[in-house]
Amino acid sequence: MLANHEKLMKFFSVADEVVGRKKLQKIIYILKKCDVPFEEKFQFHFYGPYSEELTLRMEELCNLGFISEVREDKSNYYQYRYHLTDQGETFLQQSLVELPPMESMIDKMKDRSSRFLELVSTMLYFDNLSKEEVEEKVRVVKNKQNYSDDELKDAWEFIEALKQTA
């Protein structure tokens, strides 16, 4: 088993459950930006930072029976629910992979919507720019989301709180 797969399993041992593929992508990206050593490569996509590597690793973990993926039929879309299986727990007991404490960061993110995490991850994607440039970039690349000034302010505060937790 590769260390990067084990890191994802350790994440799920802490997170317990994540509902939504987009939410999972955003949480892992944000944790990576907070110096949790996930190694998946991300690129900018329709819904902000996206990692094909993460998608493939999740598929492999599901196929191995270490992660459970349950597809729920919502009225006009499907939602996916992920958690570590008993088989995954048993495997992890032999793992030597270590990750920094991330429980409080995960808890904060699980309480937020995918839309909000999309905003936060997009802002972090452009963290090499000034605050004003980040906001301008978000308004351009996420113009259909129509984020308000209050949402941007909330996202900046959230990012600051996460960085203090990390």
Side-chain angles (χ1 to χ4, degrees):
M1 177 62 57
L2 299 169
N4 291 323
H5 290 76
E6 290 180 30
K7 288 177 185 179
L8 286 172
M9 292 170 62
K10 288 241 185 215
F11 162 79
F12 278 101
S13 73
V14 173
D16 185 36
E17 180 177 72
V18 175
V19 179
R21 287 177 170 171
K22 181 166 80 167
K23 192 169 205 171
L24 174 62
Q25 287 274 339
K26 302 317 163 212
I27 289 173
I28 297 297
Y29 180 77
I30 294 166
L31 287 171
K32 183 175 177 170
K33 292 300 277 188
C34 291
D35 298 323
V36 177
F38 288 107
E39 296 178 31
E40 288 78 10
K41 292 179 183 76
F42 284 80
Q43 58 203 19
F44 201 78
H45 208 258
F46 298 115
Y47 302 107
Y50 169 79
S51 172
E52 189 171 335
E53 287 178 39
L54 176 56
T55 298
L56 293 173
R57 282 199 183 106
M58 287 300 296
E59 193 175 304
E60 291 165 352
L61 288 168
C62 290
N63 289 338
L64 289 167
F66 293 151
I67 299 286
S68 168
E69 176 187 69
V70 176
R71 184 172 101 165
E72 300 171 340
D73 190 2
K74 298 295 180 182
S75 58
N76 59 349
Y77 67 97
Y78 293 108
Q79 177 173 279
Y80 295 84
R81 188 176 295 271
Y82 297 96
H83 72 271
L84 189 65
T85 64
D86 291 341
Q87 188 178 349
E89 279 286 357
T90 301
F91 182 87
L92 262 186
Q93 291 171 2
Q94 299 155 29
S95 173
L96 301 175
V97 170
E98 293 290 325
L99 289 175
M102 56 184 169
E103 293 86 353
S104 63
M105 288 187 288
I106 292 170
D107 288 344
K108 284 180 172 90
M109 287 187 273
K110 281 177 58 179
D111 289 342
R112 296 301 194 120
S113 70
S114 292
R115 173 184 158 81
F116 180 77
L117 294 177
E118 182 179 337
L119 171 60
V120 168
S121 62
T122 299
M123 292 167 74
L124 288 170
Y125 191 83
F126 297 112
D127 65 358
N128 60 319
L129 304 173
S130 71
K131 185 176 177 179
E132 294 76 22
E133 290 170 321
V134 168
E135 290 182 8
E136 183 179 322
K137 188 69 95 170
V138 165
R139 292 191 193 285
V140 170
V141 299
K142 294 282 162 200
N143 64 336
K144 289 183 180 175
Q145 291 284 32
N146 201 22
Y147 289 114
S148 70
D149 290 341
D150 285 343
E151 286 174 304
L152 287 166
K153 181 177 182 282
D154 189 21
W156 285 120
E157 290 169 0
F158 186 80
I159 290 168
E160 191 57 40
L162 274 183
K163 288 186 175 183
Q164 289 175 1
T165 304

